[in-house]
Structures are given as structure tokens and as C-alpha cells.
Amino acid sequence: RIGTAALAVQVVGSNWPKPHYTLLVTGLCRFQILQLLKEKPYPIAEVEQLDRLEQFTNGSKSEEELGELSEQFYKYAVQLVEMLDMSVPAVAKLRRLLDNLPREALPDIVTSIIRTTNQEKLQILDAVRLEERFKMTIPLLVRQIEGLKLLQKTRKPKQDDDKRVVAIRPNRRISHGNITEDEEEEEDHDDVVMLEKKIRTSSMSEQALKVCLKEIKRLKKMPQSMPEYALTRNYLELMVELPWNKSTKDRLEIRAARIVLDNDHYAMEKLKKRVLEYLAVRQLKNNLKGPILCFVGPPGVGKTSVGRSIAKTLGREFHRIALGGVCDQSDIRGHRRTYVGSMPGRIINGLKTVGVNNPVFLLDEVDKLAKSLQGDPAAALLEVLDPEQNHSFTDHYLNVAFDLSQVLFIATANTTATIPPALLDRMEVIQVPGYTQEEKIEIAHRHLIPKQLEQHGLTPQQIQIPQVTTLGIITRYTREAGVRALDRKLGAICRAVAVKVAEGQHKEAKPDRAEVGEGEDCKEHITEDAKAESISDTADLALPPEMPILIDFHALKDILGPPMYDMEVSERLNQPGVAIGLAWTPLGGEIMFVEASRMDGDGQLTLTGQLGDVMKESAHLAISWLRSNAKRFQLTNASGSFDLLDNTDIHLHFPAGAVTKDGPSAGVTIVTCLASLFSGRLVCSDVAMTGEITLRGLVLPVGGIKDKVLAAHRAGLKRIIIPQRNEKDLEEIAVHVRQDLTFVLAGCLDEVLNAAFDGGFAVKARREHLNSKL
């Protein structure tokens, strides 16, 4: 029933990381409870003061009354303090207190500091007489000194932290948990010691090790209630987890790598060749820097999946970073640790995730980065994707250099037009064109159909999709450079077949039906046409379907509906003033119709179809060249005049008006369309063309030839007119595609017109008129 009267000086509370309160009090004197007056809402009692503060002010009689006890206690207290680290401010302050405070106050102060149990502290508190208090405290001091001596003998003397064994706790923490304060402090201290051990044994660079040791020293002196304590600890744990020198061993067998790439992907010869070249050079030189590749092509051609296959081939870890819509440079470089909620960038986070320093990083959709007030992430990537700089990449959060030279970076993009030139210059661009029809058929039967059968729980004994049906899906229900839409159509077919199979099993599961027994004899009389036709017809559900279910064109129409695309384009060229051009888009090549009409007017040229400035200029070039050569080709307007715009308006329209169009490659198409309009002749229905024109009638080269040729091949066209200087681009096209098409190489517009019209578009010779002199 003896306690301590105290004066509350300060109360500090916090809810992070967990609710706790810190109470700072000043002790006054001992008191004894005489009578408890009230317990709620807080205890109130009548007390009696046991010692008085005035007795400590009279220091003359302390030595006379206690003598040897106080000297002995002072000697042991000084010995204990000198065994501690005097560089700690709290220890130095305690040493000064031993010299300045009266000897009568020392037992209470020292007992609150040394490691004692609560029961021993209560015994010291109950000892009102000073002599008794000294006698009870001296054995506690001796025990603490002996414990320190034993601990110093058993521990290695390599660290100065051995002296910091006694926890100096001037403040008390009141927590709401069941764990005592001493246990919490011991656990946290052990964690910090373990973290320091991990830092010293890690293989980080010398600069990083120096920074971490400096931070761990700050962490030891920092109270846990400070928000910076958690930030510093998270930083040190990240530094320990990063793979500074940990790497995987590459598999450099070229023959095995070729097999893996061929099994995972069909076609894509350029990509496979580049990976095999890298493996070959790695065999000759071990410290080769990782290449920085950029796969550019339309969606759905396998750019992302081939990056995963490259990692599988090399035996490396794979990590994908989606950059689409990223508008903050901190996503790449990280935040500085001065900000609340700071975190490292995606590059460092990816390295922490994979745990090695030589993974394959896929930077997906690098052409869709955005700018904002938070900076330009494309500019932040310049350091990451520069082989001469990324060996010392500095993240804002780490603030130390990290080596990225062994990372194999692969970027993907749909177009290079939106990639900044400085960033594009740092990457090795590899074009990934769209697939031909034959390649799509092979991909469907090698990869897509087995994947869809597995996803829908079907087997090849239950469904058969012949190659003719696959070709029908490709030509009539999809028109794309990749295979994503084809994959979705195959999934729709598998779902429809799964319904039939499930319902057939349900019918077979009923043994009391007589139709099941009769169905075995009936199966022999069912033809393939009746079996595949009307696959969704519920009238044929009386009998289970005959396995395997064959998918033909009748089944396609029932499942996928009527064909979405018509391969016959000749019916759109049934009148003069229509021509077919070829356009390039980020989604692959497309065919483009150009239509023209004329009417009475005052010589205006109208252009519609959401055209850009370059395409409008091509239209003006085309009409100017035709007007200047109208007499040579005998082109006249409705009134018979060689001035094509005399009392005549011309309207040029590019269908799909909701799609923005621009570029110079439609010049030859516009000239052919207008020549057809004024001559009244039809353009050949199987001809498509592309090329830029000049005012003198020359045909200049354009880009995207391979994608444009594949688009014409998908549309069923047979002849393609391209600029003569684009002949070199035909080598990239597959041999079977070149065999199906006829290419006309044109150097001027005369050659274009001769190839676009049946029988040519020859210059009509003028009839010479002889004037008689008679």
C-alpha cells in the first residue's frame, strides 16, 4: 500500500504504428494509503507522506549517519556506469548525476535504471529508512556488474555495442497489448542487430554498404515512436533484399534454344535470329552487356509472349512492367525518401521481386507513355535504356548506384511515331509484321485450338476443326494483323460445342430412355452435313451428337452468324471514279477505297473523310498533275474542255469517315481515281496501289510495304502497284505470298496508270491536220 507521488509534466499519444501513450512525470515523495475513498471513475484515497524533500537538502548529516553504506553504494554505481558506453548522452548524464545529486536520492534513481524485476522495485519502494534502502540496493548493483562482466567475456569484442547492454529508460510507455515493455524492446533490439548482421554479410557495393551502416547507426539512436524509424527500417530491409550480385546462369545451348523458340512461336524469324545471335556471343564473351530490344508491330502478333519465351530460353527470370498510361517519372526513378509514402521505382521493385540482377525485363507499351506535371517518364527511361549509363542507375529512393547492365530489356510498341527520338535511338528496333493467312492457320492448329480445347474441357475426340474451316474464319470473320480475334472466334466455337457435349452426356445418363438404344442404329445413317448443320438447333437434342463434332461452314454460320467481311471487292469498282489504295496503321495494314465524283460548279475541290494536311496536299498535287497533262491523255470535263475544273466541282471521299487518315502514300491512288473519273474507264478490280507523288509525276517510296502487301493479300487482291524504290522491301515478304501476287514497280505516274487500267492508259496521239494551200 506504498506508492510514489508524482507530478505529470507531459503526456504524448500516438496511433501509429499502434496506439500508445508516453507519460513524463516528476517524482515527489513516498506515501502510504490510509483509506480508499472512491474507486470510480478513478481511485481517490486518503494518504500519508512517508519521506520529505527537505531532508535531501541537508547534505551535511548524510555522510555522518550512513557513512560506509553510502560510499560503498557510490563506488559500485560509478563502476557500473564506467562499464557502459560514455558516448551515449544518457550514460554521460547519469555519470554527472552521481556526482551532483545527494547520496540519499541515488538508491531510488539507480534502481529505476538497472535491470530489476517489478517485485524488487516494490521492495525498494517499501523501504522507507535510508539505511535499509542502501542495504537492499547494493546487492542489485553487484549482480548487474557481474552480469556485465560475464557478458563481455562471452561476446566478441569487435563491436562497441557490447557496452550498451543496460537499457536506459527515462520514459515509460503505456501500451494496450499483452506483451510487456521489456519484451518489446528486447525483440526490437534483436531485429536491429539481425538487420545489421544481414547488411554486413550482404554482397552490396562499397558505397551502398557505407550508406547502410550510417543509417543503421541512426536507427539505433532513434525512438520507435518517430515516423522516420519505420521509413529507415524499410529502406534498410529493401537494401538487404536487393540482388546486388545474385544472378542466374544462362543456358547457352543454341540448338536447344532454337527448339524452344520454334515450339513456342511460329514464324517471327527476325526475333529468333536475334536471340540466337545473343546466345552465340554470350558463349564467346561472358561479360556481355544485355541488349536493349524494341519489338514494334500491330497488336496480337505475340510481342509480349515472345519476351516470356526468350526468358524461358535463356533460363532467366521474367518480369513485365506495363508502361501504358504512366505519366509520372517517379514510377521509373522512385520517390525521394523525404516524402511521406515514398517508395522505389518499378525497375528496383522488379529486381526485388525476381531476386536476381540479370532478369528479362519487358517494358510493355513503351509508345503509350504520357507527360504530366509530375515529369516525363520517357525521359527517365533514357538512363535505364542506355548501355553506357545503366551500369550505375540511381533510383531516387535508394540514392545509391545499382548495376542494370546485365538486365535484358525488351520494349514493345505498336508504332515508333509516338516514341521520343532520343529514347528510340537507344533501342534496337525489330519490326514484327502481321501474319499471313497460311501462318495464321498454322498458329491456330499448333497453339490456339489446343489452348481453347484445354480451357473448355474438350478433347480432339469431341471436336474437329479442319484447316478449310479455319481459313473461313480468318477470311470471313476476322480481318486483323494478329490472332486475337481468331482466338476469340475459336473460343466461341468451343463453347457452342461444349453445350452440345454436355447436353449429350445428360441424355446418355438417363437409362430409362428408349431412344438411347435406338440411337446407336441411327448414328450410321447420319451424314456429315446433317451432323454439322444447325449445331444450335434444339430439335436434335433427343440423341447425343456423334463424336467428333465436325465444324464446317454450316456450323460456322450457326455459331458465329453471317460472315462479317466480304472478300469480293470488285462490286465496289463497278463505275468510274473508284480506286483501291493501301494504308498502314498501328494495327497493321488496311485496304482503303477512294471515291470521286464531279458536278457542275465553279472549280472547287472538296475533300471528306477526316483527312490530314498531308493527304489534302496529295489531293491538290494529283488534280494539278492531271490538269497539266489533260491534253496528253485526252481528259476532258463534262463540257469537253481540257481544263478539268472549268465549270466543274470535284468531290473526293475516303470511306470510313470516322477514322482519321493522313500520310503521303495515297497520292497514286488519288491520281488513278481522278483519271478513271475523267476518262470514264473502270479501274481493274484486283489492283491496289500505294506511293507518294510529286508535281512532276514521279512516284516516291513509302513505308510499311510488308503490312500493306499482307492487307492486300488478305483482301484477295492479285496485283499491287508499289514505287520502284521499294523493291528492296519485297524481300521481307514470305515466298508463298509473293507467288500469289503480281507486283508492278512504278517510277512515274504514267506507269501507274498503264498498270491500273485494262489495256493500259496510253497517251492518245494527236491527229495532224494538213492545211491545203490551194
Side-chain angles (χ1 to χ4, degrees):
R1 299 177 67 85
I2 296 179
T4 302
L7 182 65
V9 178
Q10 186 180 20
V11 179
V12 179
S14 175
N15 289 326
W16 189 89
K18 56 184 178 181
H20 65 275
Y21 302 95
T22 302
L23 181 64
L24 182 63
V25 298
T26 300
L28 299 178
C29 61
R30 287 176 172 81
F31 66 86
Q32 182 178 6
I33 298 177
L34 299 179
Q35 182 182 359
L36 188 62
L37 302 180
K38 187 170 64 171
E39 294 185 3
K40 294 183 179 180
Y42 47 84
I44 297 177
E46 182 180 350
V47 299
E48 177 186 3
Q49 185 174 351
L50 299 180
D51 52 6
R52 300 183 179 279
L53 298 179
E54 291 82 4
Q55 65 185 5
F56 298 142
T57 59
N58 187 7
S60 60
K61 65 178 183 178
S62 61
E63 295 183 2
E64 299 175 359
E65 293 180 353
L66 300 177
E68 296 181 359
L69 283 177
S70 63
E71 288 296 330
Q72 186 180 5
F73 180 87
Y74 176 76
K75 185 192 304 182
Y76 284 129
V78 172
Q79 181 182 355
L80 176 63
V81 173
E82 289 180 350
M83 295 177 70
L84 304 178
D85 188 2
M86 296 301 294
S87 63
V88 179
V91 177
K93 183 178 181 181
L94 177 60
R95 183 65 183 85
R96 293 193 300 269
L97 287 176
L98 293 178
D99 295 335
N100 297 333
L101 287 178
R103 301 289 173 84
E104 295 83 355
L106 293 182
D108 293 335
I109 295 176
V110 176
T111 304
S112 64
I113 293 175
I114 62 176
R115 192 174 297 277
T116 56
T117 63
N118 289 333
Q119 187 65 29
E120 291 172 340
K121 292 177 181 179
L122 289 176
Q123 292 177 1
I124 302 298
L125 186 63
D126 291 341
V128 180
R129 295 177 60 249
L130 284 176
E131 182 179 359
E132 182 182 359
R133 202 179 306 163
F134 275 118
K135 290 180 180 180
M136 296 178 65
T137 310
I138 289 175
L140 300 178
L141 277 176
V142 174
R143 184 183 68 184
Q144 188 70 55
I145 293 172
E146 294 298 328
L148 279 179
K149 289 180 179 179
L150 180 62
L151 190 60
Q152 289 178 352
K153 290 180 181 179
T154 56
R155 294 183 63 183
K156 295 180 181 180
K158 65 178 182 179
Q159 298 180 4
D160 296 335
D161 301 329
D162 296 338
K163 297 182 180 181
R164 305 180 184 176
V165 178
V166 177
I168 300 182
R169 302 183 296 273
N171 297 336
R172 298 288 294 173
R173 176 183 296 176
I174 304 171
S175 64
H176 296 285
N178 297 325
I179 303 176
T180 62
E181 178 186 356
D182 294 341
E183 293 176 351
E184 287 182 355
E185 291 185 354
E186 289 179 4
E187 182 181 352
D188 292 332
H189 178 71
D190 293 342
D191 290 345
V192 173
V193 172
M194 186 65 67
L195 184 60
E196 182 178 6
K197 183 179 179 181
K198 290 181 180 179
I199 291 174
R200 292 184 180 276
T201 57
S202 65
S203 56
M204 63 179 65
S205 62
E206 182 178 354
Q207 179 189 6
L209 181 61
K210 183 178 179 181
V211 173
C212 289
L213 292 178
K214 181 180 178 181
E215 293 293 331
I216 202 73
K217 287 182 180 179
R218 292 181 61 244
L219 187 67
K220 290 180 179 179
K221 300 177 184 180
M222 196 181 302
Q224 297 183 23
S225 59
M226 290 183 62
E228 193 176 354
Y229 180 89
L231 297 178
T232 305
R233 184 163 177 170
N234 291 339
Y235 171 75
L236 294 174
E237 289 176 351
L238 174 65
M239 294 288 283
V240 171
E241 293 175 2
L242 285 179
W244 296 92
N245 282 324
K246 183 179 178 182
S247 60
T248 55
K249 187 176 180 181
D250 289 347
R251 291 200 296 259
L252 302 178
E253 298 180 4
I254 297 181
R255 183 174 302 175
R258 182 181 284 111
I259 293 174
V260 172
L261 290 174
D262 289 340
N263 290 338
D264 288 349
H265 293 275
Y266 184 77
M268 306 182 102
E269 299 302 330
K270 277 189 177 181
L271 300 186
K272 296 176 184 178
K273 180 182 176 182
R274 183 63 181 88
V275 175
L276 296 178
E277 289 174 352
Y278 173 72
L279 289 178
V281 177
R282 280 281 297 177
Q283 286 184 354
L284 304 178
K285 186 177 181 181
N286 292 329
N287 58 349
L288 177 67
K289 293 181 179 181
I292 299 173
L293 309 177
C294 181
F295 299 159
V296 180
V301 297
K303 299 186 297 296
T304 302
S305 59
V306 79
R308 188 175 285 104
S309 294
I310 290 174
K312 178 182 175 182
T313 303
L314 298 175
R316 294 190 179 190
E317 298 291 335
F318 177 79
H319 185 72
R320 175 178 171 271
I321 300 176
L323 297 179
V326 172
C327 59
D328 188 356
Q329 65 146 356
S330 299
D331 280 357
I332 308 298
R333 282 206 184 116
H335 304 83
R336 300 194 183 276
R337 285 188 290 131
T338 54
Y339 298 108
V340 177
S342 59
M343 58 189 299
R346 297 195 182 189
I347 304 296
I348 298 299
N349 263 334
L351 290 170
K352 174 188 172 184
T353 302
V354 298
V356 291
N357 64 353
N358 63 339
V360 175
F361 267 14
L362 184 74
L363 306 178
D364 213 2
E365 309 294 352
V366 74
D367 59 328
K368 296 174 179 60
L369 291 170
K371 290 183 180 180
S372 69
L373 296 176
Q374 285 74 30
D376 185 5
L381 280 175
L382 295 179
E383 181 183 6
V384 177
L385 300 182
D386 191 343
E388 301 300 327
Q389 298 181 25
N390 63 6
H391 63 86
S392 59
F393 169 69
T394 303
D395 188 274
H396 287 165
Y397 186 83
L398 296 186
N399 207 23
V400 292
F402 195 93
D403 187 7
L404 299 179
S405 60
Q406 298 303 315
V407 179
L408 173 56
F409 286 102
I410 298 177
T412 66
N414 296 131
T415 176
T416 58
T418 56
I419 303 177
L423 181 60
L424 188 64
D425 181 61
R426 284 163 165 77
M427 299 184 292
E428 179 182 347
V429 178
I430 299 178
Q431 296 289 340
V432 185
Y435 296 118
T436 63
Q437 292 180 0
E438 289 76 11
E439 290 172 345
K440 288 183 179 181
I441 293 174
E442 288 294 329
I443 292 171
H445 286 270
R446 290 189 183 189
H447 303 287
L448 301 183
I449 294 178
K451 183 187 74 171
Q452 290 293 342
L453 293 183
E454 182 182 359
Q455 290 181 354
H456 293 85
L458 299 174
T459 62
Q461 289 75 28
Q462 295 172 329
I463 177 176
Q464 283 188 359
I465 304 178
Q467 291 193 356
V468 177
T469 305
T470 308
L471 179 61
I473 299 174
I474 294 171
T475 56
R476 295 175 178 270
Y477 291 92
T478 64
R479 184 165 289 177
E480 56 171 355
V483 292
R484 283 181 181 164
L486 175 60
D487 193 26
R488 286 192 290 267
K489 300 299 182 183
L490 292 173
I493 294 173
C494 290
R495 288 193 297 272
V497 173
V499 172
K500 297 288 289 184
V501 172
E503 290 179 344
Q505 291 177 352
H506 179 67
K507 298 292 183 181
E508 289 178 343
K510 296 182 179 180
D512 55 341
R513 293 199 43 133
E515 292 83 357
V516 177
E518 298 173 358
E520 298 294 333
D521 298 330
C522 295
K523 287 181 182 179
E524 300 178 357
H525 304 287
I526 300 177
T527 62
E528 289 187 356
D529 294 337
K531 170 183 61 179
E533 191 173 6
S534 301
I535 194 171
S536 60
D537 191 1
T538 58
D540 296 334
L541 293 181
L543 296 176
E546 182 179 352
M547 299 299 172
I549 298 177
L550 181 66
I551 305 298
D552 61 1
F553 291 107
H554 298 286
L556 281 184
K557 188 174 181 180
D558 288 337
I559 297 172
L560 302 180
M564 300 174 60
Y565 301 99
D566 189 1
M567 299 306 298
E568 295 294 332
V569 297
S570 58
E571 59 188 30
R572 298 190 63 174
L573 300 177
N574 55 3
Q575 60 180 356
V578 183
I580 301 176
L582 297 175
W584 180 91
T585 68
L587 305 180
E590 294 288 345
I591 63 171
M592 177 179 59
F593 290 88
V594 180
E595 301 174 351
S597 64
R598 60 182 178 179
M599 62 219 69
D600 295 337
D602 53 358
Q604 292 184 357
L605 176 63
T606 305
L607 303 172
T608 56
Q610 289 230 32
L611 307 183
D613 292 338
V614 178
M615 192 169 284
K616 291 178 180 178
E617 292 174 357
S618 297
H620 287 285
L621 278 173
I623 192 64
S624 298
W625 184 84
L626 283 176
R627 291 178 68 186
S628 63
N629 292 273
K631 290 184 179 180
R632 189 159 64 97
F633 291 107
Q634 296 296 307
L635 300 177
T636 60
N637 58 10
S639 60
S641 172
F642 289 119
D643 187 0
L644 302 181
L645 292 182
D646 184 23
N647 298 322
T648 303
D649 287 346
I650 298 176
H651 187 170
L652 273 174
H653 178 63
F654 295 77
V659 180
T660 303
K661 310 171 191 67
D662 200 5
S665 61
V668 296
T669 312
I670 299 174
V671 170
T672 305
C673 177
L674 292 175
S676 170
L677 176 68
F678 288 108
S679 66
R681 300 177 59 186
L682 295 178
V683 180
C684 295
S685 60
D686 60 346
V687 174
M689 61 199 73
T690 182
E692 181 181 357
I693 62 173
T694 66
L695 198 57
R696 295 178 297 165
L698 300 178
V699 179
L700 301 183
V702 293
I705 291 296
K706 184 174 182 179
D707 289 325
K708 293 176 180 178
V709 170
L710 293 179
H713 187 256
R714 287 196 300 266
L717 301 174
K718 298 302 179 182
R719 280 197 297 167
I720 300 178
I721 303 173
I722 62 173
Q724 189 171 10
R725 290 164 61 182
N726 281 119
E727 184 179 5
K728 61 182 184 299
D729 298 321
L730 298 179
E731 298 178 359
E732 301 179 359
I733 303 172
V735 177
H736 63 273
V737 176
R738 294 204 302 263
Q739 292 175 351
D740 292 343
L741 300 173
T742 301
F743 295 95
V744 177
L745 303 177
C748 61
L749 286 175
D750 292 355
E751 298 174 0
V752 173
L753 295 178
N754 286 331
F757 295 91
D758 284 334
F761 201 76
V763 178
K764 296 181 181 180
R766 299 180 182 178
R767 296 180 180 178
E768 296 183 359
H769 297 280
L770 298 178
N771 295 324
S772 176
K773 297 183 179 179
L774 297 177

